[in-house]
Amino acid sequence: MPFSPLPARDPQTRHRLIGRCLELAEQAKGSGEVPVGAVVVSPDGETLGEGYNTRERDADPAGHAEIAALRAAATATGQWRMEGCTLAVTLEPCPMCAGAISQSRIRTVVFGAWDEKAGAAGSVFDILREPRLNHWVEVHPGVREEECAAQLTSFFQQFR
């Protein structure tokens, strides 16, 4: 089912986007990956790409959910520019992912849990809204934050 136009403008749509990301994160968790899921939707709400963490599976340091979703969206559209698109993700993007988001010209980022150790959308860094860069991203943080944080906490508790 497509999401509403300009997905980030509608709180219910942001809630549903993060819901899909939580489902994708569960797939990562089932594979032994850190449970992070991401989705890219077009300005009219069509899902263009989805992804979840695959660093362990692929032995890929760039195997983050956001990168996978951006790559899938680029493949689906045949272009690297994602102008007007929204990326939703369960965890605040890291510096690497924030750079890729900015470079792909994503318009809006919606995320769930804050990453107080490596976040780059307002907690540790704010790459997505850095005034010295040539592209700025609208950010909607904390959507379903408790659910996203609980999913990550549950995963990491098994290692303690």
Side-chain angles (χ1 to χ4, degrees):
M1 170 171 75
F3 295 98
S4 68
L6 296 173
R9 306 280 183 201
D10 174 35
Q12 290 179 330
T13 300
R14 291 193 303 258
H15 189 269
R16 286 192 334 198
L17 281 169
I18 293 296
R20 178 61 185 142
C21 293
L22 284 162
E23 292 171 2
L24 292 163
E26 277 300 314
Q27 291 180 39
K29 184 178 177 181
S31 302
E33 300 282 350
V34 174
V36 178
V39 63
V40 174
V41 296
S42 70
D44 65 359
E46 177 188 358
T47 298
L48 300 175
E50 298 181 333
Y52 53 84
N53 279 2
T54 59
R55 289 191 330 168
E56 299 299 327
R57 182 190 77 191
D58 298 343
D60 179 5
H64 288 205
E66 299 95 315
I67 301 297
L70 287 169
R71 286 177 174 159
T75 298
T77 62
Q79 57 185 342
W80 62 267
R81 282 188 170 90
M82 299 290 131
E83 292 172 352
C85 293
T86 296
L87 182 142
V89 61
T90 55
L91 180 64
E92 179 184 8
C94 72
M96 174 184 69
C97 293
I101 290 164
S102 179
Q103 289 297 312
S104 69
R105 308 301 192 259
I106 287 284
R107 176 182 182 175
T108 308
V109 166
V110 176
F111 72 85
W114 290 93
D115 184 348
E116 299 295 335
K117 294 181 181 177
S123 62
V124 179
F125 306 102
D126 201 355
I127 292 170
L128 296 178
R129 295 174 287 199
E130 171 55 53
R132 294 171 291 187
L133 296 176
N134 65 337
H135 179 72
W136 305 284
V137 179
E138 180 181 334
V139 178
H140 295 269
V143 177
R144 298 177 74 166
E145 181 176 3
E146 289 180 11
E147 291 172 77
C148 294
Q151 189 179 51
L152 288 159
T153 300
S154 171
F155 175 79
F156 286 113
Q157 280 178 339
Q158 69 182 325
F159 300 108
R160 292 186 182 135

mmCIF file of all heavy atoms in Angstrom, residues 95-148:
data_model
loop_
_atom_site.group_PDB
_atom_site.id
_atom_site.type_symbol
_atom_site.label_atom_id
_atom_site.label_comp_id
_atom_site.label_asym_id
_atom_site.label_seq_id
_atom_site.Cartn_x
_atom_site.Cartn_y
_atom_site.Cartn_z
ATOM 1 N N PRO A 95 27.450 9.083 10.570
ATOM 2 C CA PRO A 95 28.068 10.012 9.621
ATOM 3 C C PRO A 95 28.163 9.458 8.196
ATOM 4 O O PRO A 95 27.925 10.196 7.231
ATOM 5 C CB PRO A 95 29.460 10.267 10.219
ATOM 6 C CG PRO A 95 29.251 10.089 11.692
ATOM 7 C CD PRO A 95 28.267 8.943 11.797
ATOM 8 N N MET A 96 28.499 8.184 8.037
ATOM 9 C CA MET A 96 28.597 7.602 6.698
ATOM 10 C C MET A 96 27.239 7.672 5.990
ATOM 11 O O MET A 96 27.138 8.095 4.840
ATOM 12 C CB MET A 96 29.069 6.149 6.774
ATOM 13 C CG MET A 96 29.053 5.429 5.428
ATOM 14 S SD MET A 96 29.512 3.690 5.541
ATOM 15 C CE MET A 96 28.117 3.003 6.426
ATOM 16 N N CYS A 97 26.202 7.242 6.689
ATOM 17 C CA CYS A 97 24.867 7.219 6.084
ATOM 18 C C CYS A 97 24.340 8.631 5.861
ATOM 19 O O CYS A 97 23.697 8.898 4.836
ATOM 20 C CB CYS A 97 23.921 6.407 6.943
ATOM 21 S SG CYS A 97 24.345 4.647 6.963
ATOM 22 N N ALA A 98 24.615 9.534 6.785
ATOM 23 C CA ALA A 98 24.186 10.923 6.606
ATOM 24 C C ALA A 98 24.846 11.514 5.370
ATOM 25 O O ALA A 98 24.203 12.250 4.601
ATOM 26 C CB ALA A 98 24.516 11.750 7.841
ATOM 27 N N GLY A 99 26.107 11.192 5.145
ATOM 28 C CA GLY A 99 26.777 11.668 3.933
ATOM 29 C C GLY A 99 26.134 11.117 2.673
ATOM 30 O O GLY A 99 25.908 11.840 1.705
ATOM 31 N N ALA A 100 25.806 9.821 2.683
ATOM 32 C CA ALA A 100 25.148 9.211 1.520
ATOM 33 C C ALA A 100 23.758 9.798 1.311
ATOM 34 O O ALA A 100 23.339 10.036 0.166
ATOM 35 C CB ALA A 100 25.065 7.694 1.702
ATOM 36 N N ILE A 101 23.042 10.049 2.388
ATOM 37 C CA ILE A 101 21.710 10.660 2.295
ATOM 38 C C ILE A 101 21.827 12.041 1.665
ATOM 39 O O ILE A 101 21.070 12.391 0.749
ATOM 40 C CB ILE A 101 21.058 10.723 3.689
ATOM 41 C CG1 ILE A 101 20.681 9.308 4.147
ATOM 42 C CG2 ILE A 101 19.858 11.652 3.697
ATOM 43 C CD1 ILE A 101 20.381 9.195 5.638
ATOM 44 N N SER A 102 22.757 12.819 2.139
ATOM 45 C CA SER A 102 22.959 14.165 1.590
ATOM 46 C C SER A 102 23.362 14.106 0.119
ATOM 47 O O SER A 102 22.812 14.825 -0.720
ATOM 48 C CB SER A 102 24.033 14.895 2.403
ATOM 49 O OG SER A 102 24.267 16.175 1.877
ATOM 50 N N GLN A 103 24.286 13.225 -0.209
ATOM 51 C CA GLN A 103 24.758 13.112 -1.587
ATOM 52 C C GLN A 103 23.654 12.638 -2.536
ATOM 53 O O GLN A 103 23.663 12.981 -3.713
ATOM 54 C CB GLN A 103 25.959 12.166 -1.674
ATOM 55 C CG GLN A 103 27.217 12.736 -1.072
ATOM 56 C CD GLN A 103 27.693 13.969 -1.805
ATOM 57 O OE1 GLN A 103 27.789 13.993 -3.027
ATOM 58 N NE2 GLN A 103 27.988 15.022 -1.052
ATOM 59 N N SER A 104 22.712 11.856 -2.024
ATOM 60 C CA SER A 104 21.635 11.358 -2.884
ATOM 61 C C SER A 104 20.496 12.360 -3.034
ATOM 62 O O SER A 104 19.552 12.106 -3.766
ATOM 63 C CB SER A 104 21.099 10.034 -2.339
ATOM 64 O OG SER A 104 20.416 10.256 -1.118
ATOM 65 N N ARG A 105 20.585 13.460 -2.327
ATOM 66 C CA ARG A 105 19.595 14.545 -2.409
ATOM 67 C C ARG A 105 18.234 14.176 -1.817
ATOM 68 O O ARG A 105 17.199 14.715 -2.214
ATOM 69 C CB ARG A 105 19.409 15.065 -3.838
ATOM 70 C CG ARG A 105 20.683 15.462 -4.568
ATOM 71 C CD ARG A 105 21.430 16.564 -3.809
ATOM 72 N NE ARG A 105 22.490 17.144 -4.636
ATOM 73 C CZ ARG A 105 23.774 16.847 -4.526
ATOM 74 N NH1 ARG A 105 24.176 15.940 -3.654
ATOM 75 N NH2 ARG A 105 24.665 17.436 -5.290
ATOM 76 N N ILE A 106 18.236 13.249 -0.865
ATOM 77 C CA ILE A 106 17.006 12.935 -0.129
ATOM 78 C C ILE A 106 16.480 14.240 0.472
ATOM 79 O O ILE A 106 17.243 15.052 0.993
ATOM 80 C CB ILE A 106 17.302 11.890 0.987
ATOM 81 C CG1 ILE A 106 17.545 10.507 0.394
ATOM 82 C CG2 ILE A 106 16.206 11.873 2.041
ATOM 83 C CD1 ILE A 106 16.310 9.768 -0.077
ATOM 84 N N ARG A 107 15.186 14.427 0.413
ATOM 85 C CA ARG A 107 14.577 15.654 0.936
ATOM 86 C C ARG A 107 14.361 15.589 2.446
ATOM 87 O O ARG A 107 14.550 16.562 3.159
ATOM 88 C CB ARG A 107 13.245 15.900 0.243
ATOM 89 C CG ARG A 107 12.479 17.083 0.779
ATOM 90 C CD ARG A 107 11.159 17.230 0.087
ATOM 91 N NE ARG A 107 10.459 18.397 0.589
ATOM 92 C CZ ARG A 107 9.332 18.806 0.101
ATOM 93 N NH1 ARG A 107 8.756 18.161 -0.893
ATOM 94 N NH2 ARG A 107 8.740 19.864 0.602
ATOM 95 N N THR A 108 13.900 14.414 2.920
ATOM 96 C CA THR A 108 13.458 14.297 4.306
ATOM 97 C C THR A 108 13.919 12.980 4.906
ATOM 98 O O THR A 108 13.872 11.951 4.241
ATOM 99 C CB THR A 108 11.914 14.354 4.368
ATOM 100 O OG1 THR A 108 11.463 15.504 3.665
ATOM 101 C CG2 THR A 108 11.414 14.411 5.788
ATOM 102 N N VAL A 109 14.328 13.032 6.164
ATOM 103 C CA VAL A 109 14.656 11.833 6.927
ATOM 104 C C VAL A 109 13.732 11.763 8.139
ATOM 105 O O VAL A 109 13.545 12.753 8.846
ATOM 106 C CB VAL A 109 16.131 11.816 7.382
ATOM 107 C CG1 VAL A 109 16.381 10.755 8.437
ATOM 108 C CG2 VAL A 109 17.045 11.605 6.192
ATOM 109 N N VAL A 110 13.172 10.588 8.342
ATOM 110 C CA VAL A 110 12.353 10.283 9.507
ATOM 111 C C VAL A 110 13.089 9.171 10.240
ATOM 112 O O VAL A 110 13.457 8.174 9.617
ATOM 113 C CB VAL A 110 10.953 9.781 9.067
ATOM 114 C CG1 VAL A 110 10.128 9.355 10.271
ATOM 115 C CG2 VAL A 110 10.231 10.836 8.245
ATOM 116 N N PHE A 111 13.340 9.340 11.534
ATOM 117 C CA PHE A 111 13.989 8.251 12.258
ATOM 118 C C PHE A 111 13.376 8.045 13.631
ATOM 119 O O PHE A 111 12.715 8.927 14.171
ATOM 120 C CB PHE A 111 15.511 8.421 12.333
ATOM 121 C CG PHE A 111 16.027 9.497 13.241
ATOM 122 C CD1 PHE A 111 16.215 9.266 14.600
ATOM 123 C CD2 PHE A 111 16.366 10.745 12.740
ATOM 124 C CE1 PHE A 111 16.724 10.252 15.432
ATOM 125 C CE2 PHE A 111 16.869 11.730 13.557
ATOM 126 C CZ PHE A 111 17.047 11.485 14.917
ATOM 127 N N GLY A 112 13.626 6.837 14.166
ATOM 128 C CA GLY A 112 13.071 6.459 15.458
ATOM 129 C C GLY A 112 13.976 6.822 16.614
ATOM 130 O O GLY A 112 13.838 7.873 17.231
ATOM 131 N N ALA A 113 14.914 5.948 16.937
ATOM 132 C CA ALA A 113 15.771 6.115 18.112
ATOM 133 C C ALA A 113 16.966 7.016 17.815
ATOM 134 O O ALA A 113 17.531 6.979 16.731
ATOM 135 C CB ALA A 113 16.265 4.749 18.583
ATOM 136 N N TRP A 114 17.338 7.793 18.803
ATOM 137 C CA TRP A 114 18.545 8.603 18.726
ATOM 138 C C TRP A 114 19.761 7.696 18.938
ATOM 139 O O TRP A 114 19.690 6.719 19.668
ATOM 140 C CB TRP A 114 18.545 9.678 19.816
ATOM 141 C CG TRP A 114 17.534 10.751 19.597
ATOM 142 C CD1 TRP A 114 16.264 10.796 20.092
ATOM 143 C CD2 TRP A 114 17.707 11.934 18.824
ATOM 144 N NE1 TRP A 114 15.644 11.939 19.673
ATOM 145 C CE2 TRP A 114 16.505 12.662 18.893
ATOM 146 C CE3 TRP A 114 18.759 12.449 18.074
ATOM 147 C CZ2 TRP A 114 16.318 13.879 18.250
ATOM 148 C CZ3 TRP A 114 18.581 13.674 17.433
ATOM 149 C CH2 TRP A 114 17.381 14.373 17.526
ATOM 150 N N ASP A 115 20.885 8.057 18.314
ATOM 151 C CA ASP A 115 22.145 7.351 18.519
ATOM 152 C C ASP A 115 23.113 8.314 19.192
ATOM 153 O O ASP A 115 23.788 9.105 18.529
ATOM 154 C CB ASP A 115 22.706 6.853 17.187
ATOM 155 C CG ASP A 115 23.970 6.030 17.343
ATOM 156 O OD1 ASP A 115 24.553 6.027 18.454
ATOM 157 O OD2 ASP A 115 24.384 5.401 16.358
ATOM 158 N N GLU A 116 23.159 8.247 20.517
ATOM 159 C CA GLU A 116 23.959 9.199 21.297
ATOM 160 C C GLU A 116 25.467 8.970 21.167
ATOM 161 O O GLU A 116 26.253 9.779 21.642
ATOM 162 C CB GLU A 116 23.547 9.142 22.773
ATOM 163 C CG GLU A 116 22.095 9.516 23.026
ATOM 164 C CD GLU A 116 21.751 10.967 22.685
ATOM 165 O OE1 GLU A 116 22.655 11.819 22.702
ATOM 166 O OE2 GLU A 116 20.570 11.240 22.398
ATOM 167 N N LYS A 117 25.874 7.889 20.526
ATOM 168 C CA LYS A 117 27.299 7.607 20.353
ATOM 169 C C LYS A 117 27.809 7.981 18.972
ATOM 170 O O LYS A 117 28.969 8.346 18.814
ATOM 171 C CB LYS A 117 27.591 6.130 20.617
ATOM 172 C CG LYS A 117 27.359 5.729 22.047
ATOM 173 C CD LYS A 117 27.673 4.272 22.265
ATOM 174 C CE LYS A 117 27.415 3.890 23.708
ATOM 175 N NZ LYS A 117 27.640 2.464 23.937
ATOM 176 N N ALA A 118 26.975 7.838 17.945
ATOM 177 C CA ALA A 118 27.462 8.051 16.579
ATOM 178 C C ALA A 118 26.427 8.700 15.665
ATOM 179 O O ALA A 118 26.565 8.652 14.455
ATOM 180 C CB ALA A 118 27.907 6.718 15.976
ATOM 181 N N GLY A 119 25.410 9.317 16.221
ATOM 182 C CA GLY A 119 24.357 9.917 15.401
ATOM 183 C C GLY A 119 24.827 11.157 14.656
ATOM 184 O O GLY A 119 25.613 11.947 15.175
ATOM 185 N N ALA A 120 24.307 11.320 13.446
ATOM 186 C CA ALA A 120 24.717 12.460 12.620
ATOM 187 C C ALA A 120 23.513 13.231 12.078
ATOM 188 O O ALA A 120 23.575 13.853 11.028
ATOM 189 C CB ALA A 120 25.597 11.977 11.472
ATOM 190 N N ALA A 121 22.399 13.176 12.828
ATOM 191 C CA ALA A 121 21.204 13.925 12.436
ATOM 192 C C ALA A 121 20.713 14.779 13.598
ATOM 193 O O ALA A 121 19.530 15.012 13.756
ATOM 194 C CB ALA A 121 20.113 12.969 11.962
ATOM 195 N N GLY A 122 21.667 15.187 14.442
ATOM 196 C CA GLY A 122 21.308 16.089 15.516
ATOM 197 C C GLY A 122 21.831 15.744 16.894
ATOM 198 O O GLY A 122 21.876 16.596 17.762
ATOM 199 N N SER A 123 22.250 14.499 17.133
ATOM 200 C CA SER A 123 22.715 14.168 18.481
ATOM 201 C C SER A 123 24.200 14.478 18.653
ATOM 202 O O SER A 123 24.567 15.406 19.361
ATOM 203 C CB SER A 123 22.416 12.713 18.823
ATOM 204 O OG SER A 123 23.094 11.847 17.950
ATOM 205 N N VAL A 124 25.078 13.713 18.009
ATOM 206 C CA VAL A 124 26.521 13.952 18.097
ATOM 207 C C VAL A 124 26.952 14.956 17.028
ATOM 208 O O VAL A 124 27.682 15.909 17.302
ATOM 209 C CB VAL A 124 27.312 12.631 17.953
ATOM 210 C CG1 VAL A 124 28.809 12.890 18.024
ATOM 211 C CG2 VAL A 124 26.902 11.635 19.032
ATOM 212 N N PHE A 125 26.504 14.730 15.812
ATOM 213 C CA PHE A 125 26.765 15.615 14.666
ATOM 214 C C PHE A 125 25.420 15.992 14.054
ATOM 215 O O PHE A 125 24.399 15.389 14.361
ATOM 216 C CB PHE A 125 27.594 14.892 13.590
ATOM 217 C CG PHE A 125 28.872 14.301 14.089
ATOM 218 C CD1 PHE A 125 28.966 12.931 14.332
ATOM 219 C CD2 PHE A 125 29.988 15.084 14.316
ATOM 220 C CE1 PHE A 125 30.137 12.361 14.794
ATOM 221 C CE2 PHE A 125 31.170 14.526 14.779
ATOM 222 C CZ PHE A 125 31.246 13.166 15.016
ATOM 223 N N ASP A 126 25.450 16.964 13.156
ATOM 224 C CA ASP A 126 24.235 17.303 12.413
ATOM 225 C C ASP A 126 24.590 17.508 10.944
ATOM 226 O O ASP A 126 24.395 18.579 10.370
ATOM 227 C CB ASP A 126 23.557 18.535 12.990
ATOM 228 C CG ASP A 126 22.092 18.633 12.603
ATOM 229 O OD1 ASP A 126 21.631 17.786 11.802
ATOM 230 O OD2 ASP A 126 21.404 19.541 13.081
ATOM 231 N N ILE A 127 25.108 16.454 10.352
ATOM 232 C CA ILE A 127 25.541 16.499 8.958
ATOM 233 C C ILE A 127 24.380 16.821 8.024
ATOM 234 O O ILE A 127 24.551 17.551 7.044
ATOM 235 C CB ILE A 127 26.223 15.172 8.569
ATOM 236 C CG1 ILE A 127 27.553 15.041 9.338
ATOM 237 C CG2 ILE A 127 26.442 15.078 7.056
ATOM 238 C CD1 ILE A 127 28.207 13.682 9.229
ATOM 239 N N LEU A 128 23.194 16.315 8.332
ATOM 240 C CA LEU A 128 22.058 16.499 7.426
ATOM 241 C C LEU A 128 21.611 17.955 7.319
ATOM 242 O O LEU A 128 20.974 18.329 6.340
ATOM 243 C CB LEU A 128 20.885 15.621 7.861
ATOM 244 C CG LEU A 128 21.147 14.126 7.788
ATOM 245 C CD1 LEU A 128 19.928 13.353 8.282
ATOM 246 C CD2 LEU A 128 21.514 13.700 6.375
ATOM 247 N N ARG A 129 21.953 18.766 8.317
ATOM 248 C CA ARG A 129 21.568 20.183 8.286
ATOM 249 C C ARG A 129 22.777 21.102 8.401
ATOM 250 O O ARG A 129 22.641 22.252 8.811
ATOM 251 C CB ARG A 129 20.554 20.450 9.392
ATOM 252 C CG ARG A 129 19.249 19.701 9.152
ATOM 253 C CD ARG A 129 18.293 19.837 10.282
ATOM 254 N NE ARG A 129 18.785 19.034 11.416
ATOM 255 C CZ ARG A 129 18.039 18.637 12.434
ATOM 256 N NH1 ARG A 129 16.783 18.957 12.493
ATOM 257 N NH2 ARG A 129 18.546 17.911 13.404
ATOM 258 N N GLU A 130 23.938 20.589 8.032
ATOM 259 C CA GLU A 130 25.178 21.369 8.096
ATOM 260 C C GLU A 130 25.106 22.521 7.094
ATOM 261 O O GLU A 130 25.036 22.288 5.880
ATOM 262 C CB GLU A 130 26.382 20.472 7.799
ATOM 263 C CG GLU A 130 27.701 21.189 7.617
ATOM 264 C CD GLU A 130 28.084 22.091 8.775
ATOM 265 O OE1 GLU A 130 28.100 21.624 9.928
ATOM 266 O OE2 GLU A 130 28.367 23.274 8.509
ATOM 267 N N PRO A 131 25.148 23.760 7.555
ATOM 268 C CA PRO A 131 24.987 24.901 6.646
ATOM 269 C C PRO A 131 26.113 25.066 5.620
ATOM 270 O O PRO A 131 25.901 25.698 4.584
ATOM 271 C CB PRO A 131 24.911 26.110 7.577
ATOM 272 C CG PRO A 131 25.467 25.654 8.877
ATOM 273 C CD PRO A 131 25.260 24.168 8.949
ATOM 274 N N ARG A 132 27.280 24.477 5.875
ATOM 275 C CA ARG A 132 28.380 24.601 4.917
ATOM 276 C C ARG A 132 28.269 23.633 3.751
ATOM 277 O O ARG A 132 29.000 23.749 2.771
ATOM 278 C CB ARG A 132 29.715 24.423 5.631
ATOM 279 C CG ARG A 132 29.999 25.559 6.629
ATOM 280 C CD ARG A 132 31.194 25.265 7.467
ATOM 281 N NE ARG A 132 30.847 24.160 8.371
ATOM 282 C CZ ARG A 132 31.630 23.725 9.348
ATOM 283 N NH1 ARG A 132 32.812 24.252 9.527
ATOM 284 N NH2 ARG A 132 31.244 22.739 10.131
ATOM 285 N N LEU A 133 27.365 22.670 3.834
ATOM 286 C CA LEU A 133 27.166 21.724 2.736
ATOM 287 C C LEU A 133 26.169 22.297 1.730
ATOM 288 O O LEU A 133 25.429 23.223 2.036
ATOM 289 C CB LEU A 133 26.694 20.369 3.270
ATOM 290 C CG LEU A 133 27.694 19.640 4.172
ATOM 291 C CD1 LEU A 133 27.077 18.356 4.710
ATOM 292 C CD2 LEU A 133 28.979 19.341 3.423
ATOM 293 N N ASN A 134 26.138 21.706 0.553
ATOM 294 C CA ASN A 134 25.286 22.245 -0.518
ATOM 295 C C ASN A 134 23.878 21.657 -0.534
ATOM 296 O O ASN A 134 23.068 22.012 -1.378
ATOM 297 C CB ASN A 134 25.941 22.019 -1.881
ATOM 298 C CG ASN A 134 26.062 20.552 -2.230
ATOM 299 O OD1 ASN A 134 26.058 19.703 -1.355
ATOM 300 N ND2 ASN A 134 26.168 20.254 -3.509
ATOM 301 N N HIS A 135 23.562 20.739 0.362
ATOM 302 C CA HIS A 135 22.223 20.150 0.412
ATOM 303 C C HIS A 135 21.834 19.939 1.865
ATOM 304 O O HIS A 135 22.616 19.408 2.653
ATOM 305 C CB HIS A 135 22.199 18.798 -0.330
ATOM 306 C CG HIS A 135 20.861 18.139 -0.305
ATOM 307 N ND1 HIS A 135 19.792 18.589 -1.030
ATOM 308 C CD2 HIS A 135 20.414 17.072 0.392
ATOM 309 C CE1 HIS A 135 18.742 17.819 -0.795
ATOM 310 N NE2 HIS A 135 19.096 16.890 0.063
ATOM 311 N N TRP A 136 20.641 20.379 2.215
ATOM 312 C CA TRP A 136 20.138 20.230 3.576
ATOM 313 C C TRP A 136 18.905 19.347 3.561
ATOM 314 O O TRP A 136 18.111 19.360 2.627
ATOM 315 C CB TRP A 136 19.808 21.598 4.176
ATOM 316 C CG TRP A 136 20.981 22.509 4.102
ATOM 317 C CD1 TRP A 136 22.099 22.498 4.885
ATOM 318 C CD2 TRP A 136 21.192 23.546 3.144
ATOM 319 N NE1 TRP A 136 22.984 23.467 4.492
ATOM 320 C CE2 TRP A 136 22.445 24.135 3.409
ATOM 321 C CE3 TRP A 136 20.452 24.046 2.079
ATOM 322 C CZ2 TRP A 136 22.958 25.175 2.675
ATOM 323 C CZ3 TRP A 136 20.972 25.094 1.338
ATOM 324 C CH2 TRP A 136 22.204 25.641 1.643
ATOM 325 N N VAL A 137 18.749 18.605 4.627
ATOM 326 C CA VAL A 137 17.685 17.620 4.728
ATOM 327 C C VAL A 137 16.751 17.991 5.886
ATOM 328 O O VAL A 137 17.218 18.339 6.973
ATOM 329 C CB VAL A 137 18.290 16.207 4.968
ATOM 330 C CG1 VAL A 137 17.199 15.160 5.107
ATOM 331 C CG2 VAL A 137 19.259 15.846 3.850
ATOM 332 N N GLU A 138 15.471 17.893 5.642
ATOM 333 C CA GLU A 138 14.471 18.069 6.694
ATOM 334 C C GLU A 138 14.500 16.800 7.547
ATOM 335 O O GLU A 138 14.495 15.689 7.012
ATOM 336 C CB GLU A 138 13.098 18.245 6.033
ATOM 337 C CG GLU A 138 11.949 18.446 6.972
ATOM 338 C CD GLU A 138 10.637 18.594 6.209
ATOM 339 O OE1 GLU A 138 10.635 19.024 5.041
ATOM 340 O OE2 GLU A 138 9.605 18.249 6.805
ATOM 341 N N VAL A 139 14.501 16.956 8.880
ATOM 342 C CA VAL A 139 14.633 15.813 9.783
ATOM 343 C C VAL A 139 13.441 15.765 10.745
ATOM 344 O O VAL A 139 13.092 16.769 11.356
ATOM 345 C CB VAL A 139 15.949 15.883 10.584
ATOM 346 C CG1 VAL A 139 16.060 14.731 11.566
ATOM 347 C CG2 VAL A 139 17.148 15.904 9.636
ATOM 348 N N HIS A 140 12.850 14.568 10.859
ATOM 349 C CA HIS A 140 11.763 14.307 11.809
ATOM 350 C C HIS A 140 12.226 13.188 12.733
ATOM 351 O O HIS A 140 12.101 12.004 12.394
ATOM 352 C CB HIS A 140 10.483 13.895 11.076
ATOM 353 C CG HIS A 140 9.919 14.975 10.230
ATOM 354 N ND1 HIS A 140 8.991 15.882 10.708
ATOM 355 C CD2 HIS A 140 10.166 15.328 8.946
ATOM 356 C CE1 HIS A 140 8.680 16.732 9.739
ATOM 357 N NE2 HIS A 140 9.383 16.422 8.670
ATOM 358 N N PRO A 141 12.786 13.537 13.905
ATOM 359 C CA PRO A 141 13.324 12.515 14.815
ATOM 360 C C PRO A 141 12.294 11.983 15.795
ATOM 361 O O PRO A 141 11.222 12.567 15.987
ATOM 362 C CB PRO A 141 14.402 13.294 15.564
ATOM 363 C CG PRO A 141 13.847 14.685 15.646
ATOM 364 C CD PRO A 141 13.090 14.888 14.350
ATOM 365 N N GLY A 142 12.635 10.860 16.416
ATOM 366 C CA GLY A 142 11.875 10.339 17.536
ATOM 367 C C GLY A 142 10.532 9.710 17.204
ATOM 368 O O GLY A 142 9.696 9.562 18.087
ATOM 369 N N VAL A 143 10.331 9.288 15.959
ATOM 370 C CA VAL A 143 9.075 8.648 15.586
ATOM 371 C C VAL A 143 9.110 7.192 16.066
ATOM 372 O O VAL A 143 10.014 6.439 15.699
ATOM 373 C CB VAL A 143 8.842 8.725 14.065
ATOM 374 C CG1 VAL A 143 7.566 7.992 13.673
ATOM 375 C CG2 VAL A 143 8.809 10.175 13.600
ATOM 376 N N ARG A 144 8.167 6.848 16.928
ATOM 377 C CA ARG A 144 8.119 5.507 17.542
ATOM 378 C C ARG A 144 9.446 5.197 18.243
ATOM 379 O O ARG A 144 9.952 4.064 18.215
ATOM 380 C CB ARG A 144 7.739 4.450 16.513
ATOM 381 C CG ARG A 144 6.351 4.698 15.932
ATOM 382 C CD ARG A 144 5.938 3.744 14.876
ATOM 383 N NE ARG A 144 5.594 2.440 15.445
ATOM 384 C CZ ARG A 144 4.950 1.494 14.769
ATOM 385 N NH1 ARG A 144 4.557 1.713 13.534
ATOM 386 N NH2 ARG A 144 4.683 0.335 15.333
ATOM 387 N N GLU A 145 9.995 6.216 18.845
ATOM 388 C CA GLU A 145 11.319 6.141 19.459
ATOM 389 C C GLU A 145 11.445 5.005 20.470
ATOM 390 O O GLU A 145 12.437 4.275 20.455
ATOM 391 C CB GLU A 145 11.637 7.478 20.139
ATOM 392 C CG GLU A 145 12.989 7.535 20.798
ATOM 393 C CD GLU A 145 13.304 8.897 21.374
ATOM 394 O OE1 GLU A 145 12.455 9.803 21.316
ATOM 395 O OE2 GLU A 145 14.421 9.041 21.889
ATOM 396 N N GLU A 146 10.470 4.849 21.337
ATOM 397 C CA GLU A 146 10.559 3.814 22.369
ATOM 398 C C GLU A 146 10.595 2.420 21.759
ATOM 399 O O GLU A 146 11.376 1.567 22.206
ATOM 400 C CB GLU A 146 9.402 3.943 23.350
ATOM 401 C CG GLU A 146 9.522 5.158 24.242
ATOM 402 C CD GLU A 146 8.377 5.291 25.232
ATOM 403 O OE1 GLU A 146 7.584 4.329 25.390
ATOM 404 O OE2 GLU A 146 8.279 6.357 25.854
ATOM 405 N N GLU A 147 9.789 2.171 20.733
ATOM 406 C CA GLU A 147 9.792 0.857 20.076
ATOM 407 C C GLU A 147 11.122 0.581 19.395
ATOM 408 O O GLU A 147 11.666 -0.523 19.479
ATOM 409 C CB GLU A 147 8.683 0.781 19.025
ATOM 410 C CG GLU A 147 7.287 0.759 19.562
ATOM 411 C CD GLU A 147 6.282 0.881 18.445
ATOM 412 O OE1 GLU A 147 6.051 -0.133 17.749
ATOM 413 O OE2 GLU A 147 5.743 1.983 18.259
ATOM 414 N N CYS A 148 11.641 1.589 18.722
ATOM 415 C CA CYS A 148 12.922 1.419 18.016
ATOM 416 C C CYS A 148 14.059 1.185 19.002
ATOM 417 O O CYS A 148 14.894 0.300 18.795
ATOM 418 C CB CYS A 148 13.201 2.647 17.144
ATOM 419 S SG CYS A 148 12.054 2.863 15.769
#
